Amino acid sequence: MLFYSLLKFIFTVTLRLFFRRFQVHGLEKLRKAKGPLILAVNHPNTFMDPLIVATLIPRRVAFIANGSIFNRLTRPIFKYFHVIPVYRKKDTSDVLLSPAELNKMTFQRCYDYLKAKGTVLIFPEGTSEIERRLRELKTGTARISLGAEYDNNFQLGLQILPIGLNYSDPTRFRSDVFINVGHPIALADFKEKYNPESFETVEELTDLIQQRMAETVIITEDEEEDTLVKQVEILYKNQLFEELVLDSKAQKDEFDLIKQIVTAVRYFEHHRPTLFMSMQVKMSNYLDTLHKLRLSDEIFTQTKHLSRHLRSTVILLILGLPVYLFGLFFNYLPYILPSKIARLISSDISYRAPLMMTLGIFTFPLFYGLQLWAFQAIFHQPQLTIGLAVCLPLSGFFVLWYWGQVTHLSHVWQAIRLFRRKPTLMQTLSSERTAIFQSLNEAKELYLKLGE
């Protein structure tokens, strides 16, 4: 238990460093939950997902995982961490039992764990995909929860707590994650309905879990819709924050706003297809042109002050250059190695971020430790060594900020250069942007009238 607590602490700290914004809505539902509990979580980011959820809840968590990852080497490790395998028909195992026989054992282990007032984390979708979707849920979560209560005459007080994991970019370091804890489902409500000989209640509960989980995540119907929603976010989200007086730093406000954008886009897609297609073409063409010209849309909100932005950014970069070089020297290897190793381990982009984070847990302490040891061995100044220990991680974050400013400077410089050399092109882009915002404003007014 001590080792588990230590790992939990390490990952809790690491996750807060890995993500730029790490916010939880409804955390009190997790912290105050008593009795047996099943956590039903969406699954967009492979093994990053269980790490995030496990660090949020005070209790120790058991995990349901794909049986194909269990073998003679991994089985003892997974057993220590209370990872329970579930097998599909196509899966094989290192024991001479069929998947059906193994899953009977899996269900019984879950029943025993829940009877002991434990917490079980399940990904009801069954597989992990990087997309803003909620795939059709498997029935396993409902079968386990109803079976556990039935074995105990519905006296357990078992609850299913839906949790939505919403990533801004699941593959990128210093991106955002918003964890949205939904409304619990009490299994006692199904006591009179459940019949172990019938599948009807299992399907009803599965549908309810799907509904509650859908409330906690951003869901787009297909790639086309998702692309348009993201384009609206890029161009129009900041204006909506201001108009609706929302807090842009609060991820719950951002989540609710994007939900509304998805609903509005879906309405126009189905009821105003001509307007939908027009907006889609305009925004795609505009953003594609910006990408080719190495510009950002933000430039067109600063056209009157581009020279001032250029001067101030250059001054900042000159003043910060010594700190940047210091941070780059001491942080480059522990930062870049996890990325390189992650690419060698797996070509699957969905594994890259969790692998990078896990490897970084080892590379940063190792390299920092070696650097501090060398510094102390050379200078024999304990106070300076302590100061260096504080400066190392801070300078690493400064490097990331500094590089963001370099990127911003490149956009500003490119815009100034194009305004001077190709003023007609920039005027055309500005006119396209104005037309897009006019269309978005008209669409917003039309959509708001529908809700009145």
Side-chain angles (χ1 to χ4, degrees), residues 200-398:
E200 185 178 343
T201 308
V202 170
E203 292 178 335
E204 181 185 344
L205 179 55
T206 301
D207 290 342
L208 180 57
I209 297 170
Q210 179 110 24
Q211 176 189 325
R212 294 286 175 88
M213 289 182 66
E215 294 170 356
T216 67
V217 293
I218 303 294
I219 300 174
T220 53
E221 291 182 346
D222 50 44
E223 192 65 34
E224 184 179 45
E225 182 180 280
D226 192 52
T227 299
L228 184 57
V229 169
K230 287 178 179 176
Q231 289 171 343
V232 174
E233 288 180 60
I234 291 170
L235 296 174
Y236 204 52
K237 187 171 66 176
N238 289 337
Q239 180 172 320
L240 289 174
F241 270 122
E242 293 179 7
E243 291 180 359
L244 300 174
V245 196
L246 298 174
D247 183 359
S248 60
K249 296 181 180 179
Q251 285 184 281
K252 180 61 170 66
D253 283 358
E254 185 172 349
F255 173 85
D256 291 338
L257 179 60
I258 296 173
K259 276 269 194 181
Q260 285 296 316
I261 292 174
V262 172
T263 304
V265 166
R266 193 166 298 156
Y267 168 81
F268 288 109
E269 183 178 7
H270 294 298
H271 300 283
R272 296 286 194 277
T274 304
L275 179 58
F276 175 84
M277 288 298 297
S278 174
M279 290 169 59
Q280 187 179 42
V281 170
K282 287 178 181 178
M283 287 192 289
S284 293
N285 290 340
Y286 171 72
L287 290 171
D288 285 346
T289 304
L290 290 186
H291 178 72
K292 291 174 183 176
L293 294 173
R294 293 179 288 113
L295 295 173
S296 69
D297 177 69
E298 181 187 12
I299 291 299
F300 290 96
T301 66
Q302 305 169 345
T303 51
K304 295 180 180 179
H305 309 289
L306 281 178
S307 297
R308 187 191 305 170
H309 277 290
L310 181 67
R311 287 194 299 271
S312 60
T313 305
V314 168
I315 292 170
L316 276 175
L317 292 179
I318 291 172
L319 293 175
L321 183 60
V323 182
Y324 169 75
L325 293 175
F326 172 89
L328 188 66
F329 178 81
F330 285 104
N331 288 275
Y332 181 76
L333 281 178
Y335 175 80
I336 203 66
L337 276 177
S339 176
K340 299 292 185 183
I341 296 171
R343 290 173 187 272
L344 289 174
I345 293 175
S346 176
S347 59
D348 189 341
I349 194 171
S350 64
Y351 284 90
R352 194 167 298 161
L355 280 172
M356 284 172 56
M357 186 190 73
T358 305
L359 291 165
I361 290 174
F362 299 98
T363 59
F364 275 96
L366 175 63
F367 277 87
Y368 283 178
L370 288 173
Q371 290 163 355
L372 292 170
W373 172 81
F375 184 87
Q376 176 61 22
I378 295 170
F379 296 103
H380 305 287
Q381 295 287 336
Q383 291 181 336
L384 289 178
T385 304
I386 293 172
L388 179 62
V390 174
C391 290
L392 288 179
L394 293 178
S395 66
F397 284 108
F398 183 85

Side-chain angles (χ1 to χ4, degrees), residues 21-304:
R21 287 193 300 172
F22 186 105
Q23 293 183 16
V24 188
H25 176 71
L27 183 60
E28 67 283 353
K29 298 172 190 173
L30 273 172
R31 297 287 171 85
K32 294 179 180 179
K34 297 180 180 179
L37 186 65
I38 288 180
L39 306 176
V41 188
N42 66 315
H43 201 15
N45 201 8
T46 59
F47 64 82
M48 183 74 84
D49 301 334
L51 291 176
I52 287 174
V53 177
T55 61
L56 297 177
I57 188 165
R59 318 187 212 177
R60 187 162 183 171
V61 178
F63 308 88
I64 301 289
N66 192 323
S68 62
I69 66 174
F70 284 73
N71 53 49
R72 292 179 182 178
L73 177 64
T74 61
R75 192 174 295 278
I77 300 171
F78 289 147
K79 183 178 180 181
Y80 174 80
F81 288 106
H82 294 196
V83 182
I84 304 171
V86 62
Y87 294 88
R88 300 166 296 182
K89 290 182 180 180
K90 65 179 182 179
D91 291 332
T92 58
S93 71
D94 58 333
V95 294
L96 300 177
L97 293 172
S98 69
E101 291 171 317
L102 289 168
N103 284 337
K104 285 183 180 179
M105 296 170 60
T106 292
F107 275 51
Q108 189 57 55
R109 285 182 64 184
C110 290
Y111 297 164
D112 295 341
Y113 205 83
L114 293 169
K115 185 178 180 180
K117 297 186 178 181
T119 299
V120 179
L121 189 157
I122 303 178
F123 298 108
E125 294 169 287
T127 57
S128 177
E129 296 289 342
I130 297 180
E131 55 186 13
R132 294 208 283 198
R133 311 276 194 280
L134 185 63
R135 296 175 296 284
E136 184 177 355
L137 304 190
K138 313 295 183 185
T139 58
T141 307
R143 290 161 59 202
I144 288 171
S145 53
L146 288 168
E149 280 287 13
Y150 182 78
D151 271 12
N152 293 275
N153 299 313
F154 278 83
Q155 298 299 311
L156 286 182
L158 173 63
Q159 292 189 98
I160 299 173
L161 194 60
I163 299 176
L165 301 175
N166 300 273
Y167 298 92
S168 63
D169 186 343
T171 66
R172 188 168 58 86
F173 175 60
R174 299 303 288 170
S175 56
D176 305 331
V177 61
F178 173 58
I179 303 100
N180 196 10
V181 184
H183 300 292
I185 300 169
L187 269 294
D189 297 340
F190 292 84
K191 180 178 180 180
E192 304 302 326
K193 300 179 182 179
Y194 182 59
N195 179 353
E197 304 300 323
S198 170
F199 213 64
E200 185 178 343
T201 308
V202 170
E203 292 178 335
E204 181 185 344
L205 179 55
T206 301
D207 290 342
L208 180 57
I209 297 170
Q210 179 110 24
Q211 176 189 325
R212 294 286 175 88
M213 289 182 66
E215 294 170 356
T216 67
V217 293
I218 303 294
I219 300 174
T220 53
E221 291 182 346
D222 50 44
E223 192 65 34
E224 184 179 45
E225 182 180 280
D226 192 52
T227 299
L228 184 57
V229 169
K230 287 178 179 176
Q231 289 171 343
V232 174
E233 288 180 60
I234 291 170
L235 296 174
Y236 204 52
K237 187 171 66 176
N238 289 337
Q239 180 172 320
L240 289 174
F241 270 122
E242 293 179 7
E243 291 180 359
L244 300 174
V245 196
L246 298 174
D247 183 359
S248 60
K249 296 181 180 179
Q251 285 184 281
K252 180 61 170 66
D253 283 358
E254 185 172 349
F255 173 85
D256 291 338
L257 179 60
I258 296 173
K259 276 269 194 181
Q260 285 296 316
I261 292 174
V262 172
T263 304
V265 166
R266 193 166 298 156
Y267 168 81
F268 288 109
E269 183 178 7
H270 294 298
H271 300 283
R272 296 286 194 277
T274 304
L275 179 58
F276 175 84
M277 288 298 297
S278 174
M279 290 169 59
Q280 187 179 42
V281 170
K282 287 178 181 178
M283 287 192 289
S284 293
N285 290 340
Y286 171 72
L287 290 171
D288 285 346
T289 304
L290 290 186
H291 178 72
K292 291 174 183 176
L293 294 173
R294 293 179 288 113
L295 295 173
S296 69
D297 177 69
E298 181 187 12
I299 291 299
F300 290 96
T301 66
Q302 305 169 345
T303 51
K304 295 180 180 179

Side-chain angles (χ1 to χ4, degrees), residues 421-438:
R421 295 186 178 182
K422 298 183 178 180
T424 304
L425 171 63
M426 297 303 282
Q427 288 171 5
T428 300
L429 280 173
S430 181
S431 298
E432 287 180 11
R433 185 179 189 274
T434 301
I436 289 170
F437 272 75
Q438 184 176 349

